[in-house]
Amino acid sequence: MNKAPIGVFDSGLGGLTAVRQLRRILPNEDIVYFGDTGRVPYGTRSNATIKRYAAQDTKFLLKHNVKMIIAACGTVSSVASNLKHDLPVPYTGVVSPTCFEAARVTKNKKVGVIGTSATINSHSYRDLIHSFDDKIEVVEQDCPLFVPLVESGFIDRDDPITRLTIERYLKPVMKTGVDTIILGCTHYPIIKSAISAVVGEKVSLIDSGRETAVYAAKILRESDLLTDSDKPGKSEFFVSDTPDGFENVARVFLGENVEHTVEQINIELY
Ligand code: DGL
């Protein structure tokens, strides 16, 4: 049993997809969230820069005495997987839990993977799926405009800009006949409904935030690190730029007002 908070980080808003699911599955746990909004996007940067950012993000969370760290970021999980070896607490990224679910769900053994350019260039999802089953065909597509869309609040499924952008990236993927698509960047579940409207409801969308939260809960349970509190858990949010845009999307996505509860910090001090 352990009452310490769970630490979750991402380059921006994407990790909230894991936070929403963690709250659903483990409602009594406290959460400390860091969104590196001053340096988003990560997915267009070099591997060396992404690793440096990820090391600073984890150092910040460890200062809050977290009992586990979740890299709720497909890019960090793909490029900086070495992180887990240096941490004094349990760690998970998003790639393993998500690939496992996709390999289980696909019926025609054709899986699409969408993510940031750094994630797609790393082939992290493709290689792990092939280690489970090398008969699964994996179609990879980077979607570099999705993160700026979400960070700018274009998350409504009826917004024509959002729909056209999704069509541009996903129509070629759909032509290959995939029956399952991994949302390999945690920002993408925020526009899941808009993605589903383009690819059709028969295509299974694997939500990286959800699968990671389910897997993190399993690790905490098996390590006897769950809280014994019966009170609703508290969440603290930190960002590295002005909280305004973050608060607006977080309110819509988490379904609660986080205004005045988001604190700006200087991540370069870590
Ligand atoms: N949510 C991050 C991911 O899962 C976005 C990365 C970025 O900032 O480009 O990859």
Side-chain angles (χ1 to χ4, degrees), residues 8-76:
V8 184
F9 76 95
D10 179 44
S11 59
L13 286 152
L16 295 181
T17 58
V19 169
R20 178 153 105 171
Q21 299 296 337
L22 276 172
R23 284 174 160 184
R24 188 179 59 84
I25 306 166
L26 302 173
N28 306 119
E29 295 290 339
D30 291 344
I31 295 171
V32 176
Y33 183 85
F34 174 61
D36 198 359
T37 52
R39 305 190 295 194
V40 68
Y42 281 11
T44 48
R45 297 182 194 274
S46 69
N47 287 3
T49 301
I50 295 166
K51 283 182 185 170
R52 183 166 69 81
Y53 288 177
Q56 289 177 306
D57 302 344
T58 51
K59 203 165 166 198
F60 170 76
L61 289 176
L62 287 171
K63 282 268 173 348
H64 284 79
N65 295 320
V66 296
K67 62 184 170 189
M68 175 177 197
I69 288 186
I70 303 175
C73 176
T75 307
V76 167

Side-chain angles (χ1 to χ4, degrees), residues 171-190:
K171 284 219 161 142
V173 175
M174 293 316 297
K175 282 201 181 121
T176 65
V178 297
D179 71 351
T180 302
I181 295 179
I182 291 179
L183 306 180
C185 165
T186 51
H187 278 69
Y188 300 178
I190 296 179

Side-chain angles (χ1 to χ4, degrees), residues 9 18 69-82 84 91-104 111-116 118-132 138 140 181-186 206-213 215-216 219:
F9 76 95
I69 288 186
I70 303 175
C73 176
T75 307
V76 167
S77 312
S78 296
V79 169
S81 55
N82 60 309
K84 59 176 170 280
Y91 162 88
T92 183
V94 307
V95 176
S96 314
T98 312
C99 287
F100 189 73
E101 182 63 6
R104 193 185 68 78
V111 173
V113 177
I114 58 174
T116 66
T119 296
I120 296 304
N121 290 338
S122 78
H123 302 295
S124 57
Y125 286 94
R126 183 198 67 185
D127 292 350
L128 193 61
I129 289 174
H130 283 163
S131 77
F132 298 151
V138 179
E140 300 170 291
I181 295 179
I182 291 179
L183 306 180
C185 165
T186 51
I206 310 296
D207 178 332
S208 43
R210 179 181 185 281
E211 298 312 324
T212 304
Y215 184 66
I219 295 179

